[in-house]
Amino acid sequence: MNYKMTGYVIGLLLMFQSLFMVIPALTAIVYRESEVWIFLCVAIGCLVIGKLLTLRKPENKSLFAREGFVIVAICWIVLSLTGALPFYISGAIPRFIDALFESVSGFTTTGASVVPLIEELPKCMLMWRSFTHWIGGMGVLVFIMAFLPISGAQNMHIMKAESPGPSVSKLVPHVRTTALWLYGIYFCLTLIEFILLLFGDMSVFESLNTAFATAGTGGFGIRNDSINSFSAYIQIVVTVFMLLFSLNFTSYFLMLKGKLKDALTSEIKVFLFVVATAIAVISINTRAQYDSVGDAVRHASFSVASLVSTTGFATVDFNLWPELSRTILVLVMFMGACAGSTGGGIKVSRLMIFFKNAGNELHRMLHPKQVRCISMDSRPVEPSVVRTVSVYMVCYIGIFAVSSLILSLQNVDAITNFTAITATLNNIGPGLESVGPTSNYLFFSDLSKSVLIFDMLAGRLELFPMLLLFHPSTWKK
């Protein structure tokens, strides 16, 4: 275990965290809010500690898979802890466990909140909440990799540990260039959405917050009713961009290179088919609750896009929809977005590999001597990827089961507990019943919140980095 290099990367992270806090500090200055000093003090503290950790560059800069997982897990914990300080010190969220919950929810792009009256928060705190989504959406370490003094092959261990999906590949030969390409696409899409929102009835402040939250597929709203009180135009724009940020960013890169056929992968085809089918069924199932077919389709499209992308915005209380519609929403919560996107969930490609592998095993029972390999887009899937997917599903079920048992100690109803874990482990935000789109997570006990905090981090980091922190061999030299 390369502890010196791990400390060095954490130091770099803290220095970047100090830069991130400039955005809410500037917001406080614009709106003349006293919280500006809190952000500046926390930023200075992060900068000083970060500088101390990076004063001496490690002689041994080697990073292997183990270091990659540990660095990613610890960095996200440090990021969340420091991100909680402004909420706690300002008194906007009086209890530290609640401030940490809000911070973790922001950085992991979950969007589950413990704030009962969002509109009463200072504007700088609202900006910080939304900006944490944008930071966490693409992955802060993916950005920092462009500045790490290590080789591309070693950088790849960090990218694999932080990036969503069953497998991660480089867009170009150099990992640093790949990171810049990803963030370039991410920034441009965010900017386009921001401009389109300005054409609606949103102010610059509202447009920035909404664009940040949509880009990271996070879902922290700046109003108590989320997106419901905004115009139909705003809701349509947000719907489109929630889906755009749910697609694999590699496809956007291929489109820019003129490889349109390669960009339309089987994963994207399955994703769009599921989304279209879910919207159609829910529109028909909820038609009686709305004045027109257009309203039913608009709300169904928004809700499906919000939950399949794991954003968590809401235009209606889908908790009041018929059981068929609610069941479909829960199923798309589990599926989630495409690999290589900013969305959460199990991921479409992972489910495709899992079911193809199950089909192969059933076929092998009938034809023991026949050899069949799994392929996607006419390319074979590596056996190591298939094995990792199977292990992921086992770990996913295990974490879900243990979390359910612990949350049941609070004696909350089963649907609330089940969907709360679904919403946090898949980084969605709202669930059903007491954690529906018009409710929050404040009522949970400290123990339950701690479990949900772990679930949010585990879900965002694809389980393994957080689980390996508890494995004894991880810490051996």
Side-chain angles (χ1 to χ4, degrees):
M1 185 71 190
N2 191 340
Y3 289 104
K4 290 184 179 179
M5 194 61 200
T6 302
Y8 185 84
V9 177
I10 292 171
L12 276 179
L13 173 79
L14 288 171
M15 293 171 71
F16 274 95
Q17 179 77 309
S18 68
L19 290 176
F20 296 149
M21 292 199 178
V22 171
I23 299 295
L26 289 174
T27 305
I29 291 172
V30 170
Y31 290 97
R32 298 179 180 179
E33 294 172 335
S34 60
E35 287 81 3
V36 61
W37 299 109
I38 295 172
F39 283 104
L40 290 177
C41 288
V42 175
I44 291 170
C46 290
L47 182 62
V48 171
I49 297 173
K51 192 65 179 174
L52 290 173
L53 289 172
T54 56
L55 279 176
R56 295 182 61 184
K57 292 185 179 180
E59 295 179 4
N60 179 14
K61 298 175 183 178
S62 299
L63 285 180
F64 298 100
R66 178 171 58 169
E67 283 86 356
F69 284 117
V70 171
I71 285 172
V72 167
I74 293 178
C75 280
W76 276 76
I77 292 171
V78 171
L79 194 71
S80 300
L81 287 169
T82 53
L85 293 177
F87 295 129
Y88 179 65
I89 296 171
S90 67
I93 303 178
R95 302 179 69 247
F96 186 75
I97 185 69
D98 292 335
L100 180 60
F101 185 98
E102 198 79 7
S103 176
V104 171
S105 181
F107 284 113
T108 60
T109 73
T110 303
S113 182
V114 292
V115 179
L117 298 172
I118 295 168
E119 293 173 33
E120 292 186 2
L121 288 177
K123 283 186 165 51
C124 60
M125 293 297 167
L126 290 173
M127 179 60 75
W128 180 233
R129 290 169 84 241
S130 299
F131 191 51
T132 57
H133 281 334
W134 196 83
I135 296 167
M138 185 56 66
V140 63
L141 292 176
V142 171
F143 179 70
I144 292 177
M145 277 193 303
F147 305 92
L148 286 177
I150 50 181
S151 68
Q154 293 167 334
N155 262 338
M156 201 63 192
H157 293 304
I158 294 178
M159 177 175 271
K160 286 180 178 178
E162 188 180 44
S163 299
S167 63
V168 178
S169 59
K170 294 181 284 187
L171 304 181
V172 291
H174 300 290
V175 177
R176 294 183 184 183
T177 310
T178 296
L180 292 175
W181 265 106
L182 289 172
Y183 257 94
I185 296 169
Y186 188 49
F187 177 81
C188 288
L189 284 174
T190 306
L191 181 62
I192 293 169
E193 184 188 1
F194 168 70
I195 294 171
L196 290 175
L197 291 174
L198 287 176
F199 284 105
D201 57 357
M202 279 188 165
S203 65
V204 172
F205 175 80
E206 291 170 334
S207 298
L208 266 179
N209 276 270
T210 305
F212 283 151
T214 308
T217 60
F220 272 152
I222 53 175
R223 296 185 181 180
N224 290 321
D225 64 357
S226 189
I227 306 293
N228 182 45
S229 57
F230 289 106
S231 66
Y233 167 81
I234 293 294
Q235 294 174 9
I236 292 169
V237 169
V238 173
T239 300
V240 170
F241 276 88
M242 285 190 294
L243 292 175
L244 288 177
F245 282 106
S246 300
L247 303 180
N248 194 322
F249 275 54
T250 301
S251 294
Y252 294 127
F253 176 79
L254 293 172
M255 287 179 190
L256 292 173
K257 293 294 182 180
K259 301 178 181 178
L260 298 180
K261 187 177 179 180
D262 294 334
L264 191 60
T265 62
S266 58
E267 180 187 29
I268 290 178
K269 291 176 183 177
V270 171
F271 175 79
L272 294 177
F273 174 78
V274 172
V275 168
T277 303
I279 290 172
V281 174
I282 292 176
S283 298
I284 296 169
N285 191 231
T286 60
R287 169 64 186 90
Q289 298 185 1
Y290 300 103
D291 297 332
S292 66
V293 174
D295 285 344
V297 173
R298 175 163 54 86
H299 291 306
S301 300
F302 189 98
S303 299
V304 170
S306 178
L307 295 187
V308 78
S309 67
T310 70
T311 305
F313 280 139
T315 56
V316 292
D317 186 2
F318 50 75
N319 207 20
L320 303 176
W321 280 358
E323 285 303 318
L324 174 61
S325 296
R326 299 205 317 164
T327 302
I328 292 172
L329 291 181
V330 171
L331 291 176
V332 298
M333 283 183 187
F334 280 104
M335 183 185 81
C338 298
S341 69
T342 62
I346 295 174
K347 303 293 181 305
V348 178
S349 60
R350 188 176 276 120
L351 287 173
M352 290 173 67
I353 292 171
F354 181 77
F355 284 115
K356 284 186 176 185
N357 188 39
N360 268 8
E361 290 301 320
L362 291 174
H363 185 85
R364 191 173 288 115
M365 291 178 183
L366 298 174
H367 308 281
K369 295 183 179 180
Q370 190 173 17
V371 178
R372 298 177 65 185
C373 66
I374 297 172
S375 63
M376 288 184 67
D377 300 309
S378 302
R379 289 190 295 270
V381 178
E382 293 292 332
S384 60
V385 174
V386 178
R387 184 179 66 251
T388 301
V389 168
S390 300
V391 174
Y392 175 94
M393 297 302 293
V394 171
C395 293
Y396 184 95
I397 294 169
I399 292 174
F400 204 103
V402 173
S403 299
S404 298
L405 286 172
I406 297 175
L407 259 64
S408 67
L409 296 174
Q410 195 177 334
N411 204 29
V412 176
D413 68 275
I415 294 179
T416 295
N417 283 342
F418 182 86
T419 56
I421 296 166
T422 304
T424 51
L425 191 55
N426 295 308
N427 304 131
I428 298 164
L432 298 177
E433 301 299 343
S434 299
V435 290
T438 60
S439 307
N440 59 56
Y441 287 69
L442 185 61
F443 69 92
F444 278 113
S445 66
D446 289 352
L447 176 61
S448 296
K449 286 173 186 171
S450 300
V451 171
L452 296 176
I453 285 171
F454 176 85
D455 288 348
M456 287 189 282
L457 286 168
R460 173 58 184 83
L461 301 180
E462 307 283 285
L463 309 187
F464 299 127
M466 293 301 295
L467 291 177
L468 288 173
L469 289 179
F470 301 95
H471 200 288
S473 62
T474 299
W475 305 102
K476 291 180 181 178
K477 292 186 178 181

